[in-house]
Amino acid sequence: MSNIIAIVGRPNVGKSTFFNRLTGERAAIVDPTSGVTRDRHYGTSDWNGIEFSVIDTGGVVIGSEDVFEDAIRKQVELAMEETDVILFMVDAKEGMSPLDEDVADLIRRSPKKVFLVVNKVDNSNRSADAIEFYALGFEKIYEISAINGSGTGELLDDVVREFENTVKEDIPDLPKIAFVGRPNVGKSSMINALLGDERNIVTPVAGTTRDSIYTRYNSFGFDFLLVDTAGLRKKGKVTENIEFYSVMRSIRAIENSDVCVLMLDATQGIESQDINIFSLIQKNHKGVVIVVNKWDLVEKETNTHKDYEELIRSRIAPFTDVPIIFTSVINKQRIHKTLETANKVNKARSQNIPTRQLMDIMLPIVTETPPPAVKGKFVKVKYITQLKLAYPAFVFFCNMPQYVADPYKRFVENRMREQFDFHGVPIEIFYRQK
């Protein structure tokens, strides 16, 4: 189930540096100028085998007249509403600021678990200075250095303990399908069209203590759980930052699903927000079906359908082996084809391919077309097997895995897709020393 951490604090305390350390990427821009982080960054991390999502929020400035800072503050409030754990970060180098006290007042309104993280504790003097942050009224402080990683182990030990203590209720072992996408693309209409038929058997199923809701759909030969997304739950008091809010909810829905139906608005095309959500689906190894809704509103010529599909595939490259369905939910066109395709993708994602079959089919392919030689050295694959994971992952054991380049990895993945029909399913292929 999904676990989400939000890193909050005033500007320039090191939130983005810590985000980059947790996610192992450099997605967040690190700069001494305050206010650099205006767009939200999302990443995944794990500690002691427990996975979680991380949100890097912008620096909070209370009472500012700057329009960007006001927007950042509102987005931080949204992050705190949706997150499971809040990391409140302060700066030992600069010392306690009145802004820290303002942020502390904001955070105290949240019922979520808060960890006070004192960053930039790079030496014993800074450690002595960190004590002053007890004045903020939190029971414990965690001294860390986001730059060199010191102190992060103890912090993450206690953070994931919060996730371990989360009580989870029994959920039927059925495929979980989530409808995700930007606001107003037709998610609610699609869900209502599916659930509104009198022949449907619809049962609400309690989710976790973090308020995920599942709805069982059992009709027309389908039996699955619909994962709650933006159309099914009330949006609370949210009146602004709808794009940011939709990504927050998408994280929940994606991580709690087996297959995601990414809905697009045909009149608007595929936008950067859609690409962000698609990337989240791929990174979380979930099956994906793209549904282009409101197709009835598009003026069509001979190749409109084909051109539109090619545009989508060019934007989501290199993972282009994805089913794309053109629908009009309001006219109930192809809404059941969406379910058929999602079920087919789920079955493909659940494949367990015997080692003997992998060896018989894939070994001749990689033997006939081996990786290009590097410095006169030839890579030879000797053994192939599937890992026992919740998603398709395979290991190719060979003599020199370090010489297998990305273009060849894509070649092998494409052959795997052709042979075993992984349409709409992200797969992982690892090369290991035999």
Side-chain angles (χ1 to χ4, degrees):
M1 310 305 280
S2 62
N3 303 303
I4 303 180
I5 292 173
I7 310 171
V8 304
R10 64 177 175 84
N12 206 29
V13 294
K15 298 183 296 295
S16 295
T17 303
F18 190 53
F19 171 87
N20 289 341
R21 173 165 290 278
L22 288 180
T23 60
E25 301 176 359
R26 292 196 58 82
I29 300 170
V30 179
D31 191 275
T33 306
S34 65
V36 165
T37 304
R38 283 174 175 164
D39 294 327
R40 303 290 63 73
H41 294 105
Y42 313 92
T44 55
S45 185
D46 71 273
W47 185 254
N48 292 338
I50 298 175
E51 295 185 351
F52 52 89
S53 293
V54 188
I55 303 170
D56 174 30
T57 67
V60 184
V61 179
I62 309 295
S64 170
E65 295 181 0
D66 185 294
V67 64
F68 285 112
E69 290 175 347
D70 183 54
I72 288 169
R73 179 181 57 78
K74 289 174 181 174
Q75 292 193 356
V76 169
E77 290 174 346
L78 284 173
M80 293 193 305
E81 178 187 322
E82 287 296 308
T83 193
D84 300 296
V85 169
I86 300 167
L87 302 186
F88 173 24
M89 185 168 285
V90 292
D91 183 346
K93 182 179 179 182
E94 297 294 330
M96 196 161 72
S97 154
L99 271 178
D100 293 324
E101 297 175 8
D102 291 339
V103 177
D105 290 339
L106 177 66
I107 288 174
R108 284 194 193 94
R109 302 175 200 167
S110 173
K112 306 299 173 61
K113 178 69 176 179
V114 180
F115 292 84
L116 178 57
V117 181
V118 185
N119 189 26
K120 305 182 186 178
V121 181
D122 302 317
N123 54 55
S124 56
N125 291 335
R126 296 264 179 89
S127 182
D129 294 339
I131 295 172
E132 69 170 320
F133 289 101
Y134 277 111
L136 292 173
F138 293 90
E139 182 179 345
K140 183 176 180 179
I141 65 174
Y142 293 82
E143 301 176 12
I144 73 161
S145 171
I147 287 286
N148 63 37
S150 65
T152 57
E154 180 188 359
L155 169 64
L156 293 175
D157 282 344
D158 287 354
V159 167
V160 299
R161 201 168 287 125
E162 289 296 314
F163 300 149
E164 290 174 334
N165 292 336
T166 302
V167 178
K168 297 175 183 177
E169 300 173 25
D170 290 335
I171 298 169
D173 186 19
L174 293 170
K176 301 174 185 66
I177 298 177
F179 289 80
V180 297
R182 290 183 291 111
N184 304 319
V185 294
K187 298 187 298 295
S188 299
S189 300
M190 173 71 88
I191 291 162
N192 291 339
L194 291 172
L195 301 184
D197 195 292
E198 292 178 0
R199 288 173 292 179
N200 295 350
I201 302 169
V202 180
T203 311
V205 182
T208 69
T209 53
R210 291 189 296 278
D211 202 23
S212 288
I213 303 296
Y214 298 86
T215 304
R216 185 167 182 175
Y217 179 94
N218 187 349
S219 187
F220 300 104
F222 301 114
D223 191 6
F224 62 83
L225 294 177
L226 180 63
V227 183
D228 168 27
T229 186
L232 281 180
R233 273 198 289 173
K234 293 180 181 178
K235 295 183 180 180
K237 300 177 182 178
V238 178
T239 56
E240 299 181 48
N241 299 306
I242 299 299
E243 293 291 340
F244 172 65
Y245 187 83
S246 71
V247 172
M248 291 292 303
R249 281 287 160 86
S250 293
I251 291 174
R252 288 272 191 227
I254 289 166
E255 293 186 353
N256 291 340
S257 70
D258 296 305
V259 176
C260 297
V261 177
L262 173 57
M263 296 192 66
L264 310 180
D265 185 331
T267 63
Q268 297 179 11
I270 183 165
E271 299 185 355
S272 59
Q273 188 81 341
D274 302 313
I275 303 299
N276 288 339
I277 296 173
F278 182 84
S279 297
L280 283 170
I281 296 169
Q282 186 180 359
K283 286 179 180 177
N284 282 278
H285 304 103
K286 307 299 182 179
V288 59
V289 178
I290 294 178
V291 170
V292 183
N293 188 28
K294 307 182 186 179
W295 190 239
D296 56 309
L297 302 180
V298 174
E299 292 187 13
K300 301 170 187 67
E301 297 177 358
T302 306
N303 293 321
T304 303
H305 183 286
K306 182 180 178 182
D307 292 343
Y308 206 110
E309 187 170 320
E310 287 179 356
L311 172 64
I312 292 173
R313 295 195 192 282
S314 70
R315 293 292 307 278
I316 63 175
F319 177 33
T320 58
D321 185 23
V322 175
I324 300 174
I325 301 171
F326 293 81
T327 69
S328 170
V329 172
I330 199 168
N331 296 324
K332 296 193 175 181
Q333 292 177 352
R334 290 179 288 279
I335 62 173
H336 287 95
K337 183 179 180 182
T338 300
L339 294 186
E340 290 172 10
T341 307
N343 266 351
K344 189 180 292 185
V345 168
N346 182 62
K347 288 178 181 176
R349 184 174 179 266
S350 306
Q351 288 184 84
N352 186 11
I353 304 169
T355 298
R356 174 46 54 194
Q357 189 177 356
L358 283 170
M359 295 286 286
D360 289 346
I361 294 174
M362 291 306 300
L363 197 56
I365 292 174
V366 296
T367 301
E368 183 179 335
T369 311
V374 178
K375 300 176 184 177
K377 297 180 179 179
F378 296 87
V379 178
K380 185 175 182 181
V381 176
K382 301 176 181 178
Y383 187 72
I384 308 167
T385 190
Q386 183 173 357
L387 297 174
K388 295 186 183 301
L389 297 176
Y391 56 88
F394 305 88
V395 180
F396 283 61
F397 289 99
C398 57
N399 54 341
M400 291 179 288
Q402 68 272 24
Y403 291 132
V404 182
D406 287 341
Y408 187 78
K409 291 178 181 178
R410 285 194 290 273
F411 162 77
V412 172
E413 179 178 336
N414 290 337
R415 298 294 82 74
M416 290 281 291
R417 291 184 174 282
E418 290 172 4
Q419 296 295 327
F420 300 106
D421 188 21
F422 283 117
H423 195 40
V425 183
I427 65 176
E428 289 280 359
I429 299 176
F430 303 97
Y431 291 83
R432 294 289 182 265
Q433 184 81 39
K434 174 65 174 175

